[in-house]
Amino acid sequence: MTVVRSTLPEEARRVSCEALQDTLVDLLGLSLIGKQAHWNVVGPRFRSIHFQLDEVVSAARTHSDTVAERAAALGVPPDGRPETIAKVFSLPAPKEGWLRDTEAVRVMTEALGAAITRMRERIDATEKADLVTQDLLITITAELEKQRWMFEAENVPGES
């Protein structure tokens, strides 16, 4: 049953919605990684990193909603169910328990870097399929790159 019909040709719709679904999984996963680190970070830079993690979570949640709504507008129901995220999510994540501030910075830098790499692949994939979706992915990538930069700037030489 198709409730919403896309204005895109079928192949363009397929490419765009695959990119959107994969992005949705990454963004929801990033929000979970960020919250896990937020709740468990300890160390001398606790406060600044604690708040910085909330910025990532907020951005990921906001963008995940926009991505899901774009998929729905193209006629494909977005899938953000926990079992879907658990099954396909593969970004670096923090270990269980307390998380040293330097480790939180490392994990977030790596997770954001991996997400950005995948976002750039999706940007390329959607170039001919759907410029509107591509534009959305470009906007999200810019935000993720900004967040990664801020964590990368937290790296203190000689600490890890």
Side-chain angles (χ1 to χ4, degrees), residues 12-64:
R13 178 179 165 266
R14 184 196 63 73
V15 168
S16 296
C17 288
E18 182 178 300
L20 290 165
Q21 179 60 40
D22 292 345
T23 299
L24 180 62
V25 168
D26 280 355
L27 290 171
L28 292 173
L30 276 172
S31 74
L32 294 171
I33 288 170
K35 269 304 177 186
Q36 181 67 22
H38 170 88
W39 295 321
N40 291 289
V41 67
V42 295
R45 294 181 294 156
F46 161 80
R47 187 170 173 78
S48 65
I49 293 170
H50 184 78
F51 288 128
Q52 191 174 348
L53 288 162
D54 267 345
E55 290 177 22
V56 172
V57 170
S58 178
R61 288 179 177 168
T62 297
H63 287 304
S64 66

Side-chain angles (χ1 to χ4, degrees), residues 16-160:
S16 296
C17 288
E18 182 178 300
L20 290 165
Q21 179 60 40
D22 292 345
T23 299
L24 180 62
V25 168
D26 280 355
L27 290 171
L28 292 173
L30 276 172
S31 74
L32 294 171
I33 288 170
K35 269 304 177 186
Q36 181 67 22
H38 170 88
W39 295 321
N40 291 289
V41 67
V42 295
R45 294 181 294 156
F46 161 80
R47 187 170 173 78
S48 65
I49 293 170
H50 184 78
F51 288 128
Q52 191 174 348
L53 288 162
D54 267 345
E55 290 177 22
V56 172
V57 170
S58 178
R61 288 179 177 168
T62 297
H63 287 304
S64 66
D65 191 51
T66 304
V67 164
E69 289 175 354
R70 176 71 184 152
L74 294 177
V76 174
D79 188 356
R81 296 172 300 152
E83 58 268 25
T84 300
I85 307 307
K87 185 169 92 176
V88 298
F89 183 74
S90 63
L91 294 177
K95 61 181 173 51
E96 182 181 342
W98 300 118
L99 191 62
R100 178 85 178 153
D101 52 3
T102 53
E103 180 65 9
V105 167
R106 185 192 64 75
V107 166
M108 291 309 299
T109 302
E110 288 178 6
L112 287 161
I116 291 162
T117 297
R118 289 165 22 174
M119 291 296 291
R120 289 188 170 279
E121 291 168 359
R122 294 173 197 139
I123 289 167
D124 290 344
T126 56
E127 181 178 11
K128 294 205 184 315
D130 180 21
L131 293 177
V132 176
T133 296
Q134 185 191 47
D135 183 58
L136 174 60
L137 299 177
I138 290 168
T139 299
I140 294 167
T141 303
E143 176 64 27
L144 296 179
E145 287 178 336
K146 178 181 129 186
Q147 293 297 330
R148 186 189 174 284
W149 157 59
M150 291 182 175
F151 278 104
E152 183 70 22
E154 287 276 353
N155 279 322
V156 178
E159 287 188 21
S160 45

